[in-house]
Amino acid sequence: MIPLPAFDDNYLWMLHDGHKALVVDPGDARPVLDALERLGLQLESILVTHHHADHTGGVAELRNATGAQVFGPAAEDIPEPLTRLSGGQTCKAMGLQFTVMDVPGHTAGHIAYFCAAMDGAPLLFCGDTLFSGGCGRLFEGTPAQMLVSLDSLAALPDDTRVCCTHEYTLSNLRFARAVEPDNADLQQYQAHCQRLRDQGLPTLPSHLLLERKINPFLRSREPGVIAAAAAHDAAMTQSVGAFACLRQWKNDFR
Ligand code: ZN
Ligand code: FE
């Protein structure tokens, strides 16, 4: 499993077995075509999580160049032909079975792909819903929807590898530290990620057990997080809840 960097901070996740490959959210065809050629792979499947251009921009070119089968969300505007999927359905790609989860919030029809076991551990492709230390912006959904979506992802097994599509970790962790300055796991993880980035390495994939300890958007029911949200904006926390307040606080955070 390899993250192919694209644009400023996207990762296009590629799985391969030495012969065939699968790619998730190819916003750009070029890095994928280069990797296929470099590794001598045939692209078999493309998984799409949502309609944004940085996740779909390379789909048509890759399909035309390779004949790969495209899977994507049932209710989003994505160029045909593709196999449309919604929550609870499964799809097979690279001999692996993926369960589709509806995770609206960032976009209205956003889906995630969960594989219960790949090389001994579960695997999650969550698009722009869950980031390490953060979550996606709410372009087409409400905080309540996003909270339900994140709860469903947080309920997956501890050792689930979380393949996020953006390298936002360090800036997310700066915000997380503002919310929970005394969270020791968070301090440790921030130092770890800083070392990785200093060496030019990705901070991803993350793990769900870790995200539950450090990600403020998975911790919005923790008393310390509620208190921090209330200290930031008491009225908002009281009226719409700590999660909505955190999301707004993060939007404004510099
Ligand atoms: Zn997006
Ligand atoms: Fe994106």
Side-chain angles (χ1 to χ4, degrees):
M1 183 172 66
I2 44 176
L4 306 174
F7 310 113
D8 285 340
D9 52 34
N10 284 68
Y11 291 125
L12 318 181
W13 289 95
M14 178 179 266
L15 291 183
H16 72 84
D17 61 7
H19 307 281
K20 291 183 171 173
L22 165 165
V23 72
V24 184
D25 284 352
D28 187 3
R30 196 69 258 162
V32 180
L33 292 170
D34 288 347
L36 293 172
E37 181 162 335
R38 184 171 74 243
L39 301 167
L41 304 170
Q42 174 73 35
L43 188 65
E44 184 194 88
S45 313
I46 299 172
L47 308 185
V48 176
T49 63
H50 69 294
H51 69 85
H52 285 159
D54 64 312
H55 299 250
T56 58
V59 169
E61 187 180 342
L62 287 172
R63 180 177 45 221
N64 293 340
T66 65
Q69 183 177 9
V70 184
F71 298 94
E76 299 226 332
D77 181 17
I78 292 165
E80 302 279 348
L82 80 158
T83 303
R84 293 187 176 274
L85 299 165
S86 54
Q89 290 187 291
T90 59
C91 68
K92 264 209 149 150
M94 293 279 304
L96 299 169
Q97 171 142 309
F98 290 90
T99 302
V100 174
M101 303 170 73
D102 283 324
V103 286
H106 177 68
T107 64
H110 199 305
I111 59 172
Y113 298 86
F114 175 74
C115 176
M118 201 282 289
D119 292 345
L123 190 61
L124 174 67
F125 295 116
C126 52
D128 285 353
T129 298
L130 176 62
F131 295 126
S132 185
C135 74
R137 279 178 187 258
L138 302 178
F139 288 117
E140 300 173 10
T142 64
Q145 276 180 319
M146 187 59 141
L147 185 54
V148 170
S149 296
L150 291 174
D151 282 346
S152 69
L153 297 181
L156 294 172
D158 285 354
D159 58 343
T160 301
R161 290 162 291 174
V162 183
C163 299
C164 317
T165 39
H166 290 273
E167 182 61 70
Y168 291 159
T169 310
L170 286 181
S171 81
N172 286 339
L173 295 181
R174 273 200 312 114
F175 174 73
R177 290 292 305 276
V179 177
E180 291 191 282
D182 300 327
N183 180 330
D185 293 314
L186 179 55
Q187 288 176 25
Q188 234 173 51
Y189 181 56
Q190 187 183 33
H192 169 72
C193 290
Q194 186 65 58
R195 281 193 297 275
L196 289 173
R197 295 309 291 152
D198 287 346
Q199 297 167 60
L201 297 172
T203 60
L204 302 168
S206 184
H207 292 84
L208 262 185
L209 179 63
L210 173 72
E211 290 303 317
R212 285 194 221 101
K213 290 179 182 170
I214 62 97
N215 189 324
F217 295 97
L218 301 186
R219 299 172 58 75
S220 63
R221 296 176 189 91
E222 294 286 327
V225 174
I226 296 172
H232 177 71
D233 188 334
M236 191 176 182
T237 300
Q238 194 139 65
S239 61
V240 292
F243 180 83
C245 181
L246 285 175
R247 189 52 267 183
Q248 187 58 47
W249 181 5
K250 173 72 164 65
N251 290 349
D252 303 333
F253 189 77
R254 293 289 170 268

